[in-house]
Amino acid sequence: MSCVSAAKAILGCSGLSAEEGLTTLVSHETSINALMLERSERHIIVADSGKLGANSSFCYGSPSQVDTLVTDASANPSLLESLLDAGVGTMMRVEVQND
């Protein structure tokens, strides 16, 4: 994996908070996700609103490493503001349709 490089890394997470950053419940994801953040130029994190402000067992990145956060339209505005203050670059809120 140390030879991998990418223009963009699109990652999920179990939690994203201003205090703990990017976290996961799965220990073996930690090293791979951290390496992809290190070896890519742009970092896009996809996390539904239930994961914002939440912390899980294993941390793999800081809020300032998130270039773009993609979340759903029901995300709490105060949580989004705290993430921006912690260094998240930009945010995209999308309307989720359940068919």
Side-chain angles (χ1 to χ4, degrees):
M1 286 288 291
S2 62
C3 295
V4 172
S5 62
K8 297 175 188 168
I10 302 172
L11 301 171
C13 63
S14 298
L16 171 58
S17 71
E19 301 78 24
E20 298 294 323
L22 294 158
T23 59
T24 182
L25 290 167
V26 184
S27 64
H28 65 271
E29 283 182 2
T30 307
S31 59
I32 295 168
N33 289 353
L35 183 61
M36 287 310 299
L37 289 175
E38 180 184 318
R39 303 284 301 164
S40 59
E41 297 172 25
R42 185 157 170 71
H43 313 128
I44 302 166
I45 303 299
V46 180
D48 66 61
S49 59
K51 296 177 180 178
L52 304 181
N55 296 311
S56 294
S57 303
F58 305 98
C59 178
Y60 67 88
S62 69
S64 64
Q65 289 179 286
V66 178
D67 294 311
T68 303
L69 170 64
V70 180
T71 191
D72 57 271
S74 63
N76 182 319
S78 64
L79 282 175
L80 295 176
E81 189 66 34
S82 71
L83 291 169
L84 287 170
D85 291 343
V88 170
T90 61
M91 297 188 184
M92 179 184 300
R93 295 170 72 181
V94 297
E95 193 68 42
V96 178
Q97 295 181 0
N98 296 322
D99 294 331

